[in-house]
Amino acid sequence: MHFKTIFKSFKNKDMLKRIGIVIGILVAYRILAHIPVPMGDANTFKDAVAGLIGSSDFGGFINLISGGGLASFSIILVGLSPYITSSIIIQLLTKAIPRLEELSQDGETGRRKINQWTRMIAVPLAIVQSIAYIYILYQYAASTGSAGFVPTTHDWILSVTAMTAGSIILMWMGELITEQGIGNGISTVIFASIISQFPATAASLGQALFDTTNGSLSVFGLFEIGVDPTVFWILLGFIIALIVVIYFLVKINEAQRIITLNYAKRVRGNSAYGDIKSILPIKLIAAGVVPVIFATAFLSLPSLIGQLLTTMGNGAGETLTSIFTAPSANNFAELYPEGINGRWFIYPALYFILVVMFTYFYTSIIFNTKEIADNLQKQGAFIEGVRPGYATAEYLDKVVNRLNLFGSLALGLIAMLPFITDYIFIALTGAPIGLSISGTGLLIVVTVALENLRQVDSRALMVTYDDYK
């Protein structure tokens, strides 16, 4: 990274304008996060939302990526999940339908058409998810007796319209950020959502740190500092652990295998060049955080179904919910009154296995070795010691599978950090501590921050290019 160049680019009016637009959009997004859904009294759903977040790992994850939109029952409750789901559907269909695959390779025109279809599919998905969220929350509130009204057809239409509009506005904001050329808009919005949760966490930790009811921290018996000694050492340990985890996250995210390419003959204009070498970088975790999101969503379905069955009076719902609910500090005492048992390991084990499986699955979609081998052959490129065509595709398959083996295990361990931490504290103190920053959230923050910094660096080099002539 060229940090001097980045700071120098801030003198450029166009650069400042782009950064100002992005900041303005993110501020508008945070304002939307505090506009409640017009469904009776917003406080009516407070207990229902708290119950959903506490009892469902998916509920907590949706609240995280929506910037607290679920907890505040705001119009952006649905968030960007319809657009993300639509994008995944289009990617899968592109690989399955030859006509779509041809369209995706048809330059800018084809990409615009595919993006338009992605937006169109996102609208009905947003409507369906809006109805599902309101229904689940209302049924949960009704079962606990906190819902003091029966929503009318007008209430349903107004609420679903507001939530759908909120999701579409977020999608539009993401595209506006992308147009500024200093980061992917959708990823930046999700990044801002997660970051927005940090001040509240820091405030609660600061309050606990400076509470001297149980005494102050003594420094070698010479003087005292007005902080709680127990909280101080716990926070110090977490900060050190956080720095170590972020360091390894950056290393794992940036890790790649470099394959050297040789060009027997390369034509540029009217000139031909020979003996030219290039590289083909293959990332260790090419799938990014998508496998973790897939695994979370997949495991959340049995839990949500169990909650629906429970509200309908079906006894099987409680069993289904307890098995497929992520063990956490919020539900540990209720689900495991006698302490940790074999059932505690079911959810983490399934979670880890699904992350590994989805890493292989999604990498195979976004990294088509046969297509890459064909493109290399058309360009006259080859890997030393490997024949072009089918043999190159086989070689790339072996390389990607080896990288996936380590990458998927590393991604699974990152996603398992909250469970590992909770297990350690259960063994030591008999109760989990509960992490507000999950491994998934931390991975998203690090990945998006690095990608956006890379794009800002490229834009900075562009706007300061004349200074180096």
Side-chain angles (χ1 to χ4, degrees), residues 119-159:
R119 299 187 200 104
M120 292 172 64
I121 294 174
V123 175
L125 286 175
I127 295 173
V128 172
Q129 290 190 26
S130 300
I131 295 173
Y133 279 135
I134 293 176
Y135 177 78
I136 291 173
L137 289 173
Y138 178 76
Q139 290 296 325
Y140 194 94
S143 66
T144 57
S146 58
F149 73 102
V150 178
T152 62
T153 304
H154 177 267
D155 291 332
W156 276 95
I157 294 174
L158 186 61
S159 300

Side-chain angles (χ1 to χ4, degrees), residues 80-102:
L80 289 165
S81 57
Y83 182 77
I84 295 171
T85 305
S86 177
S87 300
I88 294 170
I89 291 172
I90 289 293
Q91 286 181 9
L92 294 174
L93 291 178
T94 300
K95 299 299 179 182
I97 302 175
R99 177 72 184 91
L100 281 177
E101 189 171 4
E102 292 176 6

